[in-house]
Amino acid sequence: MKVGILQYKPEFGEVEANLDRIGSLLSDIDTDIILLPELFATGYVFENGDELRYYAEPFPDGRTHKALKVLSEKIDSAIFGSFPEINGDNIYNTALFVRPDGKTRIYRKIHLFDREKLFFTPGNLPFEVFEFRGARVGMMICFDWIFPESYRTLALKGADIILHCSNLVLPFCQKATYAHAVSNRVFIAMANRIGTENRAGVECVFTGGSIMYSPTGDVLIEMGEDEENVRVAEISPSDARNKFATERNHVFSDRRTEFYELD
Ligand code: ACM
C-alpha cells in the first residue's frame, strides 16, 4: 500500500484556489491514501465564530467534500484531511476519509486546541477503525496527539495505520509521534501545514515537519519545516499486527491494567 503526505501552505479563505492547488499537486500521484493537513481548504485562524460559520460546510456534499470526491475518483486514491463542518448550531473540525467510490467516513476532532474552543464544538463521535484496501485505518486530528489515549484507543481497536492531519504550532508532536508509533506498534502518518497566519491579532506559525513512522520507529517520510511537497512511502499494513516488542513482551496483553489509574 502506498501512503502519501501533502504538506503545503493554504491561503486563508481562498477555498476554491486551495482546492485547485491541491488538485494540481496531486494530479499525477500514485497512492492508495493521501493525507492533507487539518483545515486544508480554509486556513486556520478564524477571527470569530461568524467568520467560521461563513466558511463552514455541511456534510455530506459540501463544496470541499464534493471536490475531494471528484479528485479521489480521478487519482484512484483515498484522500484524508479536515474541514469545518456545520451541523445545526454546531461547527465541528471534521476529518474526511473519501474513497475513490465516493464513500466517505468522518471523524470530528475530540480535543480542541486553544482558540478553537471559542468557536468549534468538541467532536461527538468515537475513535473508529475501518478497512481500506486491506489496511485497518484510524483517524485523528492535530491536538488529539497530546493525549496518548487517542493513539491507544485506535491501536486497541485494531488500527494498522493512524492518519493524523494537523496545523501544528507547538514544536513537540513530530518527535512525540515516534513514541506513539513504537509503544502501539502502529504506522502513523502525520500531515502538517507550513506558513504563518496573522489575523485578529493572533499569529500562528505552522511547523511543517510532516512525518510518517513504521511500527518499529523507522522514519518513512520526513519533510522540512518549509517544504511544500508530496511524499509517498510504501508499507505493508500487516506489519502493525505483530505486537511483540520482544519474544516475551506483547505491548497490549502485557499491560497491567489493575495498576493504572486512568480516570
Ligand atoms: C491544533 O490542534 N491545530 C494545534
Side-chain angles (χ1 to χ4, degrees):
M1 158 170 278
K2 290 183 182 160
V3 179
I5 295 177
L6 182 156
Q7 176 170 293
Y8 92 124
K9 176 183 180 299
E11 295 302 329
F12 185 89
E14 303 293 332
V15 174
E16 216 58 57
N18 290 329
L19 290 170
D20 286 350
R21 183 94 205 288
I22 288 167
S24 55
L25 285 164
L26 297 182
S27 60
D28 54 5
I29 200 79
D30 173 17
T31 53
D32 295 288
I33 301 174
I34 181 86
L35 287 88
L36 310 177
E38 179 184 19
L39 300 174
F40 57 85
T42 55
Y44 183 73
V45 183
F46 296 95
E47 292 202 347
N48 51 48
D50 287 343
E51 188 179 63
L52 174 61
R53 193 163 293 273
Y54 174 80
Y55 286 106
E57 301 175 18
F59 177 83
D61 290 328
R63 170 161 64 157
T64 299
H65 181 216
K66 279 194 198 155
L68 289 202
K69 284 205 285 191
V70 171
L71 182 60
S72 173
E73 187 182 7
K74 179 170 161 230
I75 63 176
D76 190 32
S77 173
I79 308 177
F80 166 78
S82 91
F83 78 109
E85 179 204 350
I86 186 151
N87 184 298
D89 288 339
N90 298 311
I91 302 180
Y92 300 102
N93 187 338
T94 298
L96 296 163
F97 182 92
V98 181
R99 299 166 29 142
D101 63 5
K103 289 191 185 139
T104 302
R105 294 258 180 180
I106 62 168
Y107 160 73
R108 293 174 172 149
K109 185 174 186 177
I110 289 176
H111 304 101
L112 298 178
F113 179 68
D114 202 352
R115 285 177 80 250
E116 289 171 32
K117 289 191 171 190
L118 305 177
F119 316 130
F120 284 96
T121 305
N124 57 353
L125 303 174
F127 288 111
E128 279 201 286
V129 171
F130 56 91
E131 288 264 338
F132 179 70
R133 294 187 180 168
R136 298 191 294 233
V137 179
M139 302 186 274
M140 53 185 267
I141 304 179
C142 206
F143 200 54
D144 286 331
W145 77 266
I146 211 163
F147 303 92
E149 293 88 345
S150 308
Y151 301 91
R152 188 59 121 195
T153 301
L154 288 168
L156 287 172
K157 286 190 169 187
D160 301 321
I161 178 162
I162 294 176
L163 308 179
H164 183 199
C165 60
S166 293
N167 276 189
L168 293 164
V169 292
L170 302 177
F172 311 121
C173 173
Q174 291 86 343
K175 286 194 178 115
T177 301
Y178 170 83
H180 298 300
V182 299
S183 61
N184 291 292
R185 295 182 72 87
V186 285
F187 292 94
I188 302 177
M190 188 279 285
N192 195 14
R193 61 162 286 179
I194 61 168
T196 300
E197 282 181 15
N198 202 329
R199 312 189 71 249
V202 178
E203 185 180 71
C204 282
V205 180
F206 301 98
T207 56
S210 297
I211 196 131
M212 180 167 168
Y213 284 108
S214 79
T216 48
D218 297 317
V219 176
L220 304 176
I221 293 175
E222 183 169 25
M223 299 219 202
E225 279 174 19
D226 297 315
E227 182 177 343
E228 214 166 26
N229 207 349
V230 183
R231 290 182 186 254
V232 180
E234 180 131 28
I235 64 166
S236 299
S238 59
D239 289 353
R241 295 177 199 167
N242 171 10
K243 298 299 181 190
F244 285 94
T246 73
E247 203 181 322
R248 294 179 192 79
N249 293 105
H250 187 281
V251 296
F252 292 164
S253 51
D254 275 11
R255 288 175 304 138
R256 304 286 309 280
T257 51
E258 67 274 34
F259 290 106
Y260 307 155
E261 293 182 30
L262 296 175
D263 289 325

